[in-house]
Each structure stands twice: as C-alpha cells, then as structure tokens.
Amino acid sequence: NYLGTSNNPLKLGTACSGTDAPSLALTLVQEQLELRGLPGILHHEHVFSCEVEPFKQAYLARNFDSLLFPDIVKLTDENPRDAFGQVQQIPDYNVL
C-alpha cells in the first residue's frame, strides 16, 4: 500500500493555507494522470486548511469542501473550533 494510491490516499492538511496551492496542484496532477489513462497512480484527499486571514478564509470556504480552521495554533486546543465556531475533531492526515 503505497502512500498516494487509491487504497492509501494522501490526506492533506495545510497550514497558512492562503489559496491552498498544494491541494490545487495535487488535483491538477491527479486529473492529468487520469486523462492519460493512469487512474489510481495518485489519489489525494484535502482534509483541512488553517488560515488566519479572513479574506483568505472566505476564498477557502467558497472553493474547498475540507474543514477550515482559523489558526494553526488553535489545533492544539482541547476542543478545536473551525472558522465558523463549531467544535471539530481534527481529521486524520499524513501530509501537512
């Protein structure tokens, strides 16, 4: 089970996420591999973002389905809250 395959996807969390360029890049690579007849070579899931700037949080909330945390420092809280104030469990991830 190689990391990044369908059976063991890259589970991406990003900090200081900005436009979440790592997730966008992985999505483009995954799409291009599939278009070239190589499905399953790369599979990723974008599981969370952390961003402190409100206008960047707005962009992330509009463009990604992953959890959005307001500050990476808050991930160590006993009950971390997302950017909307809801207590959330930090998802499993294997790439940060």
Side-chain angles (χ1 to χ4, degrees):
N1 270 348
Y2 294 106
L3 183 61
T5 61
S6 301
N7 297 330
N8 189 20
L10 292 173
K11 294 181 182 179
L12 177 67
T14 59
C16 305
S17 301
T19 58
D20 249 330
S23 180
L24 295 172
L26 285 169
T27 298
L28 290 172
V29 170
Q30 185 175 322
E31 288 174 355
Q32 288 302 309
L33 287 169
E34 290 171 3
L35 286 172
R36 287 166 170 72
L38 301 168
I41 286 182
L42 175 65
H43 185 73
H44 87 286
E45 299 170 8
H46 182 208
V47 294
F48 72 86
S49 302
C50 298
E51 180 54 60
V52 70
E53 294 292 335
F55 73 96
K56 292 178 184 177
Q57 287 178 5
Y59 166 84
L60 294 168
R62 282 191 311 270
N63 291 287
F64 296 93
D65 293 328
S66 59
L67 284 175
L68 175 57
F69 293 98
D71 192 341
I72 190 169
V73 175
K74 302 292 185 183
L75 293 182
T76 60
D77 289 353
E78 186 174 330
N79 294 306
R81 295 183 180 272
D82 66 15
F84 307 102
Q86 301 297 311
V87 173
Q88 299 286 350
Q89 183 176 3
I90 299 168
D92 289 335
Y93 62 93
N94 51 29
V95 176
L96 179 66

